[in-house]
Amino acid sequence: MADGDALPLVVDLDGTLTPADTLVESIVVLLRRSPLNLFRLILWLFGGRADFKRAVARHVTVDGAALPYNQPLLAWLREQKAQGRRIILATAAHGSIAEQVQRHLGLFDLLISTADGENMKGRAKLAAIHAAIGDRFAYVGNGGPDMQVWAGSDAAIAVDVPAGELRRLRAAVPIEREFRSGEGRLGLWLRALRVHQWTKNALLFVPLLTAFSFLDIGKTIDVLLAFVAFSLVASASYVLNDIVDLENDRAHPRKSERPFASGRLPLLHGVALAIAGLVAGVLVATAVSWAFVLMLLSYLALTSAYSWTLKQYVLIDVLTLSLLYSWRIMAGAVAIDVRLSSWLLAFSVFVFLSLALIKRCTELLVAQGSGRAGLRGRDYRTTDLAVLWPLGAGSALSSVVIFGLFISSPETAGRYASPELLWLAAFGLIYWLGRMWVKTSRGEMHDDPIVYSFKDRGSRIALAGIIAVMIAARFVHVVVLHG
């Protein structure tokens, strides 16, 4: 419309100015403090939605500076403000949240928000807008209950409005501007599930390879089913971990772009998907064995303890991570019902401790480069690098020493046709682990060293060579002349 630019701009908060749902995030914070708060939340619901929001707001303070914002929309609003246009924040969120957002952005001329006894949503929001600024305004929303507000407005600014609602909106109100996110929902969900992290579950195949049972079709199928079960449960735990760790991820330069931390995926949908993944993973695990189900549930308990508590403590977190990696190998042994070598178990603990320390050192290097003193939500400081660096390198060399002792053991002589060839694998192991630490020191390491190993060409060649040498040592008899 011709005078559209002169209309006051009334802006919605949740799902519009920020892609996040501030009420759901506040509930997550409460439950993270204590799962027993669930009973308090249920009791508060009986008081009505407005009183529920007030009760939650009394216990949780939402930091306006920590919220993700729709940056293209925010930039446009600032332009409109500079041109003299009035900007009003009208949100169903509690007034304390609106005040935090205003304190951070300093953008709004007026705040309209949920107060005691009245939930500022839909028609109630429209009535409050009319009472505050009159009948003529342009409304910035994202659909749903916003359709009722648009019905009483003179123009619409549509932010990620679903296609069906957008068609109805175009027929009802002149649209001044449209904003739409770039990445599709499928891509976001694949990122949230961290499908690329399923490569870690390839560790389930290690006992199948070390027992040289890969020609046994039955055992191979069991490991494949175990892989699917672990992947489903792991993805579910990743989603729950991202939801629980929302505030810390937002303070991280790279993790802040994760789908939940950035607010581009709804937290409630994430919880529902995580529950579905857990149930599906356990059902698949029952097709392997009940012993494997127990291993899977134990893994879930351990990874949950890590997400909720253990990751906050220095060194305890990396020890837990190394155990989680080793747990996959143990679960693979249970899946095919083979005895796990004590050599393999000892080796895996040290090599995965080294990789876990690589992960933490990488994060600390990023923090150091950003001028931060430590990691938010974890008891680490950049000065700890002086200790973590040699500890990680020492763990890597310890794993090589254990591998060397394994080569010299009578057990190995009885199982391999040419155990002397395994020393070539030991050199490959030194190269691979050394390469990982060099890449870390150069700042080239991925957040997850296991994933990096599958992406890095040099690491892939080294690992493939180690596996090839171990297979050759098992089946090929080579005469070695001793001086």
Side-chain angles (χ1 to χ4, degrees):
M1 58 189 297
D3 60 343
D5 290 341
L7 294 171
L9 276 172
V10 180
V11 186
D12 178 44
L13 179 62
D14 291 357
T16 304
L17 183 58
T18 173
D21 186 320
T22 54
L23 177 60
V24 174
E25 292 195 7
S26 299
I27 292 172
V28 168
V29 171
L30 267 178
L31 293 176
R32 186 179 61 197
R33 290 176 185 170
S34 172
L36 295 177
N37 280 328
L38 176 62
F39 298 105
R40 304 173 75 179
L41 290 167
I42 294 172
L43 287 175
W44 293 339
L45 278 172
F46 289 104
R49 198 163 180 83
D51 287 342
F52 177 79
K53 291 180 179 180
R54 177 173 56 82
V56 172
R58 276 205 316 264
H59 293 80
V60 177
T61 300
V62 174
D63 183 2
L67 287 173
Y69 291 97
N70 186 320
Q71 293 300 328
L73 172 61
L74 185 58
W76 182 75
L77 290 174
R78 293 193 187 282
E79 289 175 4
Q80 299 302 303
K81 177 77 171 179
Q83 293 172 16
R85 199 167 182 180
R86 289 187 72 196
I87 313 288
I88 296 95
L89 179 66
T91 174
H94 190 265
S96 62
I97 297 175
E99 290 168 4
Q100 284 287 333
V101 171
Q102 169 65 349
R103 187 173 292 119
H104 173 60
L105 298 179
L107 179 66
F108 306 104
D109 299 295
L110 179 67
L111 301 179
I112 299 172
S113 57
T114 292
D116 295 348
E118 187 170 16
N119 184 38
M120 208 58 64
K121 193 171 186 178
R123 289 190 177 89
K125 181 188 286 189
L126 179 60
I129 294 170
H130 284 164
I133 64 171
D135 295 344
R136 305 205 65 215
F137 64 94
Y139 184 68
V140 187
N142 67 309
D146 292 331
M147 297 297 291
Q148 296 175 334
V149 183
W150 272 319
S153 69
D154 291 272
I157 293 86
V159 180
D160 289 324
V161 177
E165 292 183 356
L166 188 58
R167 284 193 295 270
R168 294 199 299 273
L169 181 62
R170 285 171 175 161
V173 184
I175 295 183
E176 180 180 338
R177 188 76 181 258
E178 290 184 29
F179 292 88
R180 187 160 294 278
S181 302
E183 189 172 4
R185 280 296 175 97
L186 178 59
L188 287 171
W189 280 115
L190 290 176
R191 285 177 55 198
L193 293 170
R194 300 193 210 175
V195 174
H196 63 284
Q197 298 273 18
W198 290 4
T199 52
K200 294 179 184 177
N201 298 325
L203 294 171
L204 289 156
F205 290 88
V206 169
L208 187 74
L209 295 173
T210 55
F212 298 98
S213 300
F214 39 82
L215 298 179
D216 187 322
I217 300 299
K219 289 184 177 180
T220 301
I221 291 175
D222 282 340
V223 176
L224 287 171
L225 289 172
F227 177 85
V228 172
F230 251 80
S231 297
L232 289 170
V233 169
S235 285
S237 66
Y238 292 144
V239 169
L240 291 176
N241 179 66
D242 285 354
I243 292 173
V244 170
D245 213 26
L246 211 60
E247 293 177 351
N248 294 330
D249 282 352
R250 284 175 180 167
H252 192 280
R254 288 197 293 263
K255 294 180 181 179
S256 60
E257 292 303 314
R258 286 178 174 175
F260 293 110
S262 62
R264 285 174 289 178
L265 286 181
L267 299 188
L268 290 179
H269 293 183
V271 172
L273 185 65
I275 293 172
L278 292 175
V279 172
V282 172
L283 288 176
V284 172
T286 59
V288 180
S289 69
W290 286 106
F292 178 74
V293 171
L294 182 60
M295 291 295 294
L296 183 64
L297 293 177
S298 300
Y299 168 84
L300 178 61
L302 185 59
T303 192
S304 299
Y306 172 80
S307 297
W308 285 87
T309 303
L310 298 179
K311 68 181 180 183
Q312 300 174 25
Y313 300 102
V314 65
L315 296 182
I316 296 295
D317 64 328
V318 290
L319 288 169
T320 305
L321 283 175
S322 68
L323 181 57
L324 286 170
Y325 287 130
S326 300
W327 203 270
R328 290 175 169 90
I329 296 177
M330 292 186 285
V334 170
I336 61 174
D337 194 23
V338 298
R339 179 179 171 272
L340 189 65
S341 165
S342 58
W343 289 111
L344 176 59
L345 187 57
F347 168 80
S348 67
V349 168
F350 279 99
V351 75
F352 292 127
L353 176 58
S354 180
L355 294 177
L357 286 163
I358 283 177
K359 178 181 177 69
R360 205 57 75 229
C361 286
T362 298
E363 293 176 344
L364 285 170
L365 286 172
V366 172
Q368 190 177 60
S370 303
R372 290 179 287 126
L375 302 178
R376 179 167 176 171
R378 289 177 171 82
D379 187 22
Y380 282 97
R381 302 169 187 172
T382 53
T383 53
D384 295 335
L385 283 167
V387 175
L388 299 180
W389 209 270
L391 183 60
S395 298
L397 292 176
S398 295
S399 69
V400 177
V401 171
I402 291 172
F403 190 74
L405 293 173
F406 163 72
I407 295 172
S408 305
S409 70
E411 176 186 344
T412 305
R415 293 187 61 204
Y416 287 82
S418 303
E420 294 86 357
L421 285 179
L422 293 175
W423 287 109
L424 294 176
F427 279 104
L429 187 63
I430 294 171
Y431 169 77
W432 171 58
L433 290 171
R435 179 183 179 86
M436 296 290 281
W437 278 102
V438 168
K439 292 293 184 180
T440 302
S441 70
R442 293 178 179 177
E444 299 174 9
M445 181 55 59
H446 185 273
D447 284 337
D448 194 307
I450 297 291
V451 174
Y452 179 85
S453 296
F454 285 94
K455 291 183 176 181
D456 175 53
R457 183 171 179 270
S459 295
R460 290 200 306 270
I461 292 173
L463 292 172
I466 290 170
I467 293 172
V469 166
M470 292 191 71
I471 293 174
R474 164 72 175 183
F475 295 106
V476 179
H477 183 73
V478 177
V479 177
V480 179
L481 298 178
H482 298 278

